[in-house]
Amino acid sequence: MTSQSTLKPKFLAVGNELGVVAVGFSGGQCKPGVDAAPTALIEAGLLTQLQHELGFTIHHDDTVHSYSDLLPAHDPAYRNMKNPLAVSAVTRRISEQVYAHASQGRCVLTLGGDHSIAIGTIAGMAKAVRERHHGRELAVIWVDAHADINTPEVSASGNVHGMPVAFLTGLAQEQREDIFGWLGPEMRISLKKLVYIGLRDVDAAERNILREHGVKAFSMHDIDRHGIGRVMDMALGHIGNDTPIHLSFDVDALDPQFAPSTGTPVRGGLTLREGDFIAECVHETGSLVSMDLVEVSRNSDE
């Protein structure tokens, strides 16, 4: 890790206050392993490094949440979604946990867990940002090999970890309170404030959605062509300098030679240095308010 930052954040009450939510949940997909990732990361010293090397005051309840109290005994598919009741209930609770930190002006780090948890992290942060900053929108930089913007009906797998962006942007909606009906307009994000980086495995239906709505997306081809520095300039230029940013980082954005510990590896990804550079650039804006680190699988890296 690098040294302590002297950068003054634009949208946080105190720059060195970090709320941490550890999410041991894998119900948004079918492979085991990602539920064990937060424990592995914490045991490896991540929070200690953040505290002692980067100078953060850590606010964490010393718990890796499994949300076992929220998991129903029977959870049939609904609108092609697998485990819809569980994923909805867990992400709703995550949104409340993130909101509790964010409403106090803290930066929030969420350790997953599969990428479905971003429904909760972004919903909670978007709500807090609107309340604390007079209706201001939250921008999202989604670093991932996959777009995760399938609507339930077009998803080939039915796994909700491939749908979070659709629900967060309102492309997918559901009236049932117990299946994402709790997502209100104050929790959603705009497609105009969404940027993808690192795409290389995008479903046909997702490509149509991105094209139809003009979503700013940088594939690995774009990174190869322009370089990661230019891509970050364009990505941040699109968002603007007056918008709080949530960074959602799926470890499968990195090439498997650098990060084999994921259940969804796709060759031809970011180098470790490019991944670091993305996070550094977002931090240097002073606009970073929250981050997810997801899809780390302990079972994939023995």
Side-chain angles (χ1 to χ4, degrees), residues 211-232:
R211 188 179 303 113
E212 177 183 350
H213 294 277
V215 176
K216 185 65 69 175
F218 298 98
S219 67
M220 286 308 304
H221 173 81
D222 296 315
I223 293 170
D224 291 340
R225 181 176 183 178
H226 299 291
I228 192 62
R230 177 61 181 143
V231 164
M232 289 308 299

Side-chain angles (χ1 to χ4, degrees), residues 146-208:
H146 311 92
D148 296 346
I149 199 170
N150 276 307
T151 57
E153 287 75 16
V154 302
S155 170
S157 69
N159 292 327
V160 181
H161 77 157
M163 308 177 197
V165 182
F167 277 103
L168 288 164
T169 58
L171 291 174
Q173 297 192 36
E174 172 55 47
Q175 296 303 311
R176 280 184 57 174
E177 179 81 6
D178 59 349
I179 302 183
F180 305 114
W182 55 268
L183 276 168
E186 75 282 3
M187 298 177 173
R188 298 192 190 276
I189 60 171
S190 169
L191 287 163
K192 296 179 181 179
K193 291 291 186 179
L194 169 67
V195 178
Y196 286 101
I197 298 175
L199 295 180
R200 58 191 185 279
D201 186 12
V202 181
D203 296 341
E206 292 179 306
R207 288 196 296 271
N208 291 335

Side-chain angles (χ1 to χ4, degrees), residues 113-158:
D114 69 69
H115 220 160
S116 69
I117 72 170
I119 296 173
T121 63
I122 293 174
M125 181 54 69
K127 179 181 177 181
V129 164
R130 283 188 169 92
E131 291 179 358
R132 294 189 62 251
H133 299 289
H134 311 291
R136 196 182 296 265
E137 289 187 313
L138 177 70
V140 173
I141 296 180
W142 195 274
V143 183
D144 202 326
H146 311 92
D148 296 346
I149 199 170
N150 276 307
T151 57
E153 287 75 16
V154 302
S155 170
S157 69

Side-chain angles (χ1 to χ4, degrees), residues 90-109:
V90 168
T91 53
R92 187 174 192 173
R93 177 72 60 81
I94 294 168
S95 75
E96 295 165 353
Q97 292 173 291
V98 170
Y99 175 81
H101 287 298
S103 62
Q104 298 183 55
R106 298 172 186 158
C107 186
V108 185
L109 171 65

Side-chain angles (χ1 to χ4, degrees), residues 70-101:
L70 300 178
L71 304 183
H74 184 55
D75 198 356
Y78 178 78
R79 286 180 56 191
N80 190 41
M81 289 181 280
K82 297 176 181 175
N83 306 321
L85 295 172
V87 180
S88 177
V90 168
T91 53
R92 187 174 192 173
R93 177 72 60 81
I94 294 168
S95 75
E96 295 165 353
Q97 292 173 291
V98 170
Y99 175 81
H101 287 298

